[in-house]
Amino acid sequence: MNTFDTVIHGGRVVTAADTFEADIGIRDGRIVAVAEGLEGGDRRIDARGRLVMPGGIEAHCHIAQESSSGIMTADDYYSGSVSAAFGGNSTFVPFAAQHRGQAIADVLSTYDGRAAPNSVLDYSYHLIISDPSPSVLDELPGVFERGITSFKVFMTYDLMNIGDGGMLDILTVAKRHGALTMVHAENNDMVKWMNRKLLDAGLDAPKYHAVSRPELAEEEAINRAVSLAKLVDAPLFIVHVSTRGGAEIVQREKLAGAKLFAETCPQYLALTRDDLDRPGMEGAKYICSPPLRDSETQAALWRHVQAGTFESVSSDHAPYRADETGKFLNGANAPYPKIANGMPGIAMRLPYLFSEGVLKGRITLQQFVGLSSSNAARTFGLTKKGAIAPGFDADIAIWNPDETRTVTAADQHDNMDYTPFEGLVVTGWPETVINHGELIVDKGTLVASRGRGRFIARAPTDLGGRPGYKAKEMQVLEALGMDIHS
Ligand code: DUC
Ligand code: ZN
Ligand code: ZN
């Protein structure tokens, strides 16, 4: 009788700690053995010459999500999860977005209806909160009980910005339940002021998008967000850090012990604001927020990736086609503020990071596994994912480290009509992806059935090693017997 459903044999196993030769035995969706010379298995996967790594965990992507101005992303939970899988991911955590006035229960049932019948990968959601009214705050305990243990809030966009007081409310409720608040940090008034100046002067081409959202707007907002979180000693995750100054604040505050987490994205490492100045309206494809910066910033962000400032490198896949359903919904020559904000990249995150990071000697294989999978698992409470060890979900990506490809939109397997990485030459490609013991992509062919992915209830964030910050004034309130978290 076979002890294993599947044995992956002959590969080089890479974890966030080590690289070693071993076979992996899988039973009932879990890893049950990591050892040399495993016999048996109903299926045997030959991984000789390959790297066997934890499947990627994509912790920042927008799937089947309406923007605040009502534009639906091009990818739904089928195409989005398929594209993620081809890019070496075995789990993803898109956003479930509340728009103002919506009850959270309605938001979650809407996203359940979008995800459950369609996702080929295990998934969860981060809840976006745009309206922290008393009734919404009352609903949050039920959200934690479902295992949705992270929220995203915005400090920018008039329809999303919850203000500093709203953010303190969310931070305190989240902290009480062990949840993590994620924040899009850009100063709203700085951006609006810049928009007014640019548009009054008739400067509305895509390239002015980058001018309208200054580095200082991100740096100021990150500093403010961190101060708000420190005031109530709540954990905070800064999404899509795009500036040297922002990364330096994260690094400094982590060093001081704050309960702080952060990510950057491949587009801030690979592209610059010059891409927004491509001929005609081609630059519209590169409009995302925060905007692309410059080559000095890229170099600084790479240093922070190397130095451990960021837990993860996430795609911020926000796919809007370069046609009238997406980027040009408001016209073929729309001014930059009316062009959908975001770019695709869920299939490119890991090949880019492997090729430009590991193979160019910028990061180690262990850092790659941490940045692509293991750190997100710990940060977002995916306690059975992100590792190759007995007891963990058999979520595995088998990489051919030698395969060289020129990136094309067709390779992305999404619903998009472009990739911002078109023409980039990368080496290293995920050939086979396994989720919960089942083959999803088998040597470049999709073999998963639609809707097989499971919703994963998540645990609270692992705050180990982050002592936090005790504001003196909060200690005064505590001494008076006040509980600011109730
Ligand atoms: N923020 C994101 O995280 N993604 C797309 C647009 C935005 O503002
Ligand atoms: Zn954002
Ligand atoms: Zn995003």
Side-chain angles (χ1 to χ4, degrees):
M1 195 185 91
N2 272 326
T3 322
F4 306 117
D5 302 329
T6 302
V7 170
I8 302 170
H9 65 94
R12 249 178 113 59
V13 176
V14 185
T15 71
D18 297 297
T19 305
F20 51 91
E21 314 275 335
D23 300 344
I24 298 171
I26 297 168
R27 190 172 56 235
D28 297 334
R30 295 277 166 95
I31 296 170
V32 292
V34 181
E36 288 177 349
L38 292 180
E39 301 291 340
D42 295 337
R43 175 195 292 125
R44 290 186 64 81
I45 297 175
D46 183 354
R48 281 173 297 175
R50 303 292 184 261
L51 298 175
V52 182
M53 303 200 257
I57 297 174
E58 171 59 83
H60 185 156
C61 54
H62 302 268
I63 306 292
Q65 183 191 328
E66 296 97 349
S67 70
S68 57
S69 52
I71 310 180
M72 187 53 127
T73 55
D75 281 311
D76 58 19
Y77 271 80
Y78 183 66
S79 62
S81 62
V82 166
S83 183
F86 274 105
N89 297 286
S90 51
T91 300
F92 68 159
V93 189
F95 295 94
Q98 183 222 18
H99 296 294
R100 288 195 177 151
Q102 282 185 301
I104 301 299
D106 293 342
V107 174
L108 294 181
S109 70
T110 298
Y111 279 87
D112 287 342
R114 292 172 181 176
N118 292 312
S119 184
V120 304
L121 295 182
D122 286 356
Y123 63 94
S124 176
Y125 321 115
H126 311 289
L127 177 67
I128 290 179
I129 302 171
S130 61
D131 174 14
S133 63
S135 70
V136 165
L137 295 177
D138 280 351
E139 280 194 89
L140 296 183
V143 178
F144 304 116
E145 272 157 35
R146 262 202 70 177
I148 296 171
T149 55
S150 47
F151 309 139
K152 182 181 178 190
V153 297
F154 287 78
M155 300 172 85
T156 189
Y157 306 130
D158 283 347
L159 292 173
M160 302 300 288
N161 177 13
I162 62 166
D164 295 350
M167 201 163 148
L168 285 167
D169 285 340
I170 298 286
L171 284 163
T172 48
V173 177
K175 177 182 175 180
R176 185 166 5 131
H177 295 275
L180 181 59
T181 304
M182 305 163 78
V183 66
H184 176 134
E186 283 183 293
N187 180 305
N188 198 35
D189 283 343
M190 279 191 197
V191 172
K192 282 166 68 175
W193 190 87
M194 291 295 283
N195 276 339
R196 210 170 61 239
K197 296 286 166 204
L198 286 162
L199 297 176
D200 282 354
L203 304 173
D204 66 0
K207 67 179 173 186
Y208 294 108
H209 172 75
V211 182
S212 75
R213 307 186 84 91
E215 295 188 359
L216 281 171
E218 177 174 291
E219 292 166 21
E220 184 284 326
I222 289 179
N223 196 46
R224 184 157 36 102
V226 172
S227 301
L228 294 168
K230 281 169 69 180
L231 180 66
V232 294
D233 193 25
L236 181 69
F237 187 105
I238 316 280
V239 297
H240 49 47
V241 175
S242 69
T243 56
R244 176 202 291 260
E248 284 173 355
I249 294 166
V250 172
Q251 187 186 42
R252 185 188 73 221
E253 294 295 341
K254 278 186 161 184
L255 199 59
K259 294 170 179 163
L260 189 57
F261 304 80
E263 67 180 9
T264 189
C265 312
Q267 49 272 37
Y268 303 116
L269 301 168
L271 307 169
T272 69
R273 65 181 56 184
D274 291 346
D275 290 299
L276 286 154
D277 196 16
R278 292 186 182 214
M281 290 299 277
E282 192 66 12
K285 295 178 178 174
Y286 298 86
I287 287 185
C288 62
S289 293
L292 303 175
R293 308 294 183 182
D294 56 23
S295 52
E296 288 81 44
T297 302
Q298 287 180 341
L301 290 175
W302 267 118
R303 285 293 305 135
H304 282 282
V305 170
Q306 292 161 338
T309 303
F310 303 117
E311 271 61 38
S312 30
V313 173
S314 304
S315 72
D316 195 2
H317 181 75
Y320 301 105
R321 290 170 65 93
D323 64 20
E324 66 291 345
T325 67
K327 292 280 178 187
F328 303 121
L329 187 74
N330 294 309
N333 289 304
Y336 72 80
K338 299 257 179 227
I339 296 174
N341 208 341
M343 61 174 71
I346 203 164
M348 276 313 300
R349 172 180 81 111
L350 300 184
Y352 174 79
L353 191 62
F354 187 88
S355 187
E356 289 294 314
V358 177
L359 295 188
K360 296 221 168 139
R362 290 173 165 131
I363 56 173
T364 64
L365 270 173
Q366 276 57 53
Q367 285 177 301
F368 175 79
V369 171
L371 291 162
S372 64
S373 179
S374 307
N375 297 344
R378 267 203 308 282
T379 305
F380 295 110
L382 290 158
T383 54
K384 294 288 178 207
K385 296 188 181 291
I388 293 187
F392 280 77
D393 282 0
D395 284 12
I396 291 167
I398 303 176
W399 283 65
N400 180 346
D402 303 317
E403 183 176 349
T404 294
R405 288 196 185 196
T406 302
V407 175
T408 67
D411 262 350
Q412 308 300 300
H413 301 275
D414 56 11
N415 272 346
M416 287 296 294
D417 52 358
Y418 78 95
T419 165
F421 301 97
E422 186 79 33
L424 187 74
V425 177
V426 291
T427 299
W429 202 261
E431 286 178 338
T432 294
V433 173
I434 296 168
N435 173 214
H436 200 235
E438 293 177 16
L439 275 169
I440 308 301
V441 174
D442 185 10
K443 295 198 190 73
T445 302
L446 182 72
V447 292
S449 56
R450 186 188 277 256
R452 62 154 299 282
R454 305 167 303 158
F455 173 82
I456 305 294
R458 292 184 286 121
T461 297
D462 180 350
L463 292 175
R466 290 172 168 82
Y469 180 84
K470 301 281 171 243
K472 290 177 196 150
E473 298 77 4
M474 288 303 168
Q475 292 172 27
V476 174
L477 296 187
E478 251 174 53
L480 292 170
M482 265 183 72
D483 179 5
I484 56 132
H485 297 292
S486 62

